[in-house]
């Protein structure tokens, strides 16, 4: 049996894993049911198991002789969304796998099964990393800090995402990218303080709403006037709170938003300029401001050589039409970046959008299960070719 046939023979089980996990979505860093499921499966394969002490993260390790150390990571967490797909295996616990992490777990479990079958052909170590808290908490950071990439030290790490947010690829196509691929994901908060007054006598107060509007324009001018056009940058304000009545000038306005970039230098520059603009604009209109920039997930930077190698090796098992180099990066963030800050690797996409896709994080989001085997095939083949 060749690898393709072997993967196909496990397809039914792969889809079953996905559905079982879809039924039990949990959010955040602590996912007892999900972890229990993964642990049982990894134990069933006879793998050595390492459990995170601070989260529900868990890793299975397959060792055979000495050689390179490869890792493949799946996220495990879901979202606090009430599912509306009407699927027979829909979740009923108030959370939902609305991003496809259920499929990632199913894929990596199936890869582990295949590699276990071929243990004798492997020279080296494979770590199967299951990580909670991708959506919000940055679970990757916890696992890196706990040494999941150490002893033995990981040489190469792979990560996969299914779904539809990369529009360039069609259902069933794998999209790879070299270099900075997914944006940093930062958050900022700003409080603008003025002095409340009657709406009819603004000269007796200091209007924080007017000041805020100047600051917001100032922020957008960083994008249009200070940032080089070839460096992607997004500043979005998602929340403004201020005021209680149409004829009252309030005391304060509270603003929150996000910044996305594809390089670290731009990130630091923007943080500094936003702080300066908010401070000086508020001052120039007699108000005060407090600005805080929270650095979140770093930029996902795919290693060029490994991405090329992954592409070439995947072409040995899938036709050229199935594997494409993406033309542009995405401004979506991903905590896989924490692993890539430590070791080389690549993060890629498998389009599973099906016919009528709903966006990720939508209560009707679903994936096309019939293409998931390609994720299993590409990853198992890469590991076997690299360690074989
Ligand atoms: Zn998501
Ligand atoms: Zn996701």
């Amino acid at each position: 049996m060749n690898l393709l046939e072997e993967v196909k023979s496990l397809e039914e089980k792969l889809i079953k894993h996905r559905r079982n996990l879809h039924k039990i979505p949990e959010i955040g860093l602590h996912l007892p049911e999900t972890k229990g499921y993964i642990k049982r499966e990894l134990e069933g394969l006879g793998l050595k198991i390492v459990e995170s002490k601070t989260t529900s993260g868990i890793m299975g390790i397959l060792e055979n002789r000495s050689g390179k150390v490869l890792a493949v990571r799946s996220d495990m967490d879901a979202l606090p969304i009430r599912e509306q797909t009407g699927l027979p295996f829909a979740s009923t616990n108030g959370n939902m796998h609305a991003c496809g992490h259920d499929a990632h777990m199913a894929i990596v479990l199936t890869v582990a099964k295949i590699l276990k079958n071929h243990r004798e052909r492997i020279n080296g170590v494979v770590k199967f990393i299951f990580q909670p808290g991708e959506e919000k908490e940055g679970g990757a950071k916890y696992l890196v800090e706990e040494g999941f990439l150490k002893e033995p030290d990981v040489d190469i790490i792979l990560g996969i995402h299914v779904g539809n947010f990369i529009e360039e690829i069609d259902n069933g196509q794998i999209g790879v990218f070299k270099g900075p691929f997914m944006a940093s994901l930062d958050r900022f908060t700003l409080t603008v303080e003025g002095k409340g007054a009657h709406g009819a006598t603004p000269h007796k107060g200091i209007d924080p709403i007017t000041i805020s509007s100047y600051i917001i324009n100032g922020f957008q001018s960083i994008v249009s006037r200070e940032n080089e056009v070839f460096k992607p940058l997004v500043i979005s304000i998602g929340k403004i709170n201020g005021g209680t009545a149409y004829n009252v000038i309030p005391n304060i306005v509270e603003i929150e938003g996000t910044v996305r970039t594809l390089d670290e230098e731009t990130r630091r520059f923007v943080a500094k300029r936003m702080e300066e603009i908010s401070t000086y604009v508020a001052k120039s209109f007699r108000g005060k401001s407090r600005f805080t920039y929270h650095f979140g997930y770093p930029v996902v930077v795919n290693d060029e050589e490994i991405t090329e190698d992954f592409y070439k090796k995947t072409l040995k098992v899938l036709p050229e039409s199935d594997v494409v180099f993406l033309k542009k990066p995405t401004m979506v963030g991903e905590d896989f970046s924490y692993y890539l800050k430590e070791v080389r690797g690549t993060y890629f996409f498998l389009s599973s959008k099906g016919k009528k896709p709903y966006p990720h994080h939508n209560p009707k989001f679903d994936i096309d299960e019939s293409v998931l085997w390609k994720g299993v095939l590409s990853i198992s083949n890469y590991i076997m070719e690299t360690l074989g």
Side-chain angles (χ1 to χ4, degrees):
M1 196 159 47
N2 66 26
L3 188 59
L4 171 65
E5 286 163 358
E6 187 176 351
V7 170
K8 282 299 221 172
S9 76
L10 292 169
E11 193 179 6
E12 208 176 302
K13 188 78 206 286
L14 163 73
I15 292 171
K16 207 164 156 221
H17 279 319
R18 187 256 159 168
R19 293 184 179 188
N20 290 343
L21 289 159
H22 191 86
K23 274 188 214 163
I24 53 164
E26 295 168 295
I27 59 171
L29 290 170
H30 302 285
L31 327 172
E33 252 193 288
T34 310
K35 181 189 163 181
Y37 187 97
I38 301 290
K39 192 176 174 183
R40 274 192 304 281
E41 291 299 319
L42 295 176
E43 277 173 348
L45 292 172
L47 302 183
K48 187 178 147 195
I49 289 176
V50 174
E51 292 173 63
S52 158
K53 287 176 193 73
T54 54
T55 72
S56 288
I58 181 165
M59 163 166 76
I61 304 179
L62 179 71
E63 270 176 285
N64 193 50
R65 293 186 284 271
S66 59
K68 275 198 174 145
V69 182
L70 263 58
V72 49
R73 172 275 210 165
S74 163
D75 36 19
M76 305 160 84
D77 58 323
L79 291 147
I81 295 174
R82 205 163 277 282
E83 180 160 355
Q84 292 172 18
T85 56
L87 292 165
F89 52 90
S91 132
T92 53
N93 71 4
N95 298 323
M96 176 186 174
H97 270 296
C99 201
H101 302 184
D102 48 347
H104 305 164
M105 289 185 276
I107 288 171
V108 176
L109 282 177
T110 312
V111 171
K113 165 96 182 128
I114 288 174
L115 291 170
K116 180 69 209 295
N117 291 348
H118 296 278
R119 188 162 181 266
E120 274 317 303
R121 282 178 53 194
I122 288 169
N123 300 309
V125 180
V126 191
K127 291 181 169 183
F128 304 96
I129 299 175
F130 293 85
Q131 174 223 306
E134 189 286 321
E135 294 288 359
K136 193 158 146 245
E137 296 80 2
K141 205 170 54 182
Y142 293 82
L143 302 193
V144 170
E145 275 165 14
E146 283 187 49
F148 271 49
L149 299 179
K150 303 262 177 230
E151 290 172 39
D153 295 0
V154 170
D155 295 298
I156 299 170
I157 188 162
L158 296 184
I160 182 172
H161 210 300
V162 301
N164 61 55
F165 51 49
I166 302 288
E167 285 158 17
E168 274 184 61
I169 42 175
D170 269 329
N171 201 36
Q173 277 186 316
I174 286 174
V176 299
F177 192 90
K178 288 181 188 174
F181 179 34
M182 300 180 78
S184 57
L185 196 166
D186 301 333
R187 185 172 73 86
F188 61 86
T189 56
L190 169 67
T191 307
V192 180
E193 208 183 308
K195 192 176 138 201
H198 194 293
T201 58
H203 61 286
K204 289 185 178 169
I206 297 169
D207 184 353
I209 290 186
T210 310
I211 298 172
S212 298
S213 69
Y214 281 105
I215 294 175
I216 292 167
N217 275 313
F219 286 171
Q220 294 308 336
S221 300
I222 301 173
V223 182
S224 68
R225 304 289 79 186
E226 299 188 25
N227 181 59
E228 189 190 330
V229 289
F230 297 110
K231 288 185 175 169
L233 170 64
V234 174
I235 300 177
S236 288
I237 285 155
K239 203 164 143 191
I240 304 183
N241 273 331
T244 49
Y246 84 101
N247 56 356
V248 176
I249 291 169
N251 278 318
I252 63 163
V253 170
E254 286 173 319
I255 294 171
E256 249 187 274
T258 186
V259 175
R260 314 282 170 126
T261 74
L262 283 171
D263 79 32
E264 295 296 328
E265 208 186 307
T266 307
R267 208 179 173 197
R268 284 189 299 274
F269 170 75
V270 170
K272 181 172 149 278
R273 289 295 295 136
M274 289 178 87
E275 159 116 62
E276 289 169 354
I277 288 170
S278 50
T279 305
Y280 295 121
V281 170
K283 249 188 198 164
S284 69
F285 290 107
R286 302 173 298 147
K288 283 190 212 141
S289 72
R290 260 194 326 276
F291 178 81
T292 315
Y293 194 95
H294 308 267
F295 286 89
Y297 300 172
V299 181
V300 171
V301 185
N302 280 341
D303 185 272
E304 305 217 348
E305 210 181 305
I306 288 163
T307 308
E308 180 74 36
D309 191 39
F310 176 76
Y311 172 77
K312 283 193 180 138
K313 284 172 175 162
T314 305
L315 283 187
K316 291 186 182 178
V317 287
L318 285 171
E320 220 164 302
S321 56
D322 271 3
V323 200
V324 296
F325 268 105
L326 299 171
K327 289 188 189 66
K328 50 177 202 253
T330 163
M331 296 315 272
V332 173
E334 165 58 69
D335 75 348
F336 193 73
S337 50
Y338 288 110
Y339 303 106
L340 292 178
K341 282 191 99 167
E342 304 295 317
V343 299
R344 304 203 295 161
T346 197
Y347 192 71
F348 68 96
F349 279 82
L350 167 62
S351 174
S352 59
K353 58 179 142 192
K355 284 192 189 70
K356 216 176 69 192
Y358 284 94
H360 286 247
H361 299 197
N362 181 295
K364 291 189 174 165
F365 173 82
D366 192 17
I367 54 167
D368 178 5
E369 294 172 326
S370 75
V371 302
L372 298 182
W373 63 270
K374 292 188 190 181
V376 177
L377 180 65
S378 57
I379 297 171
S380 341
N381 172 66
Y382 177 79
I383 296 174
M384 278 164 56
E385 288 265 334
T386 310
L387 298 181

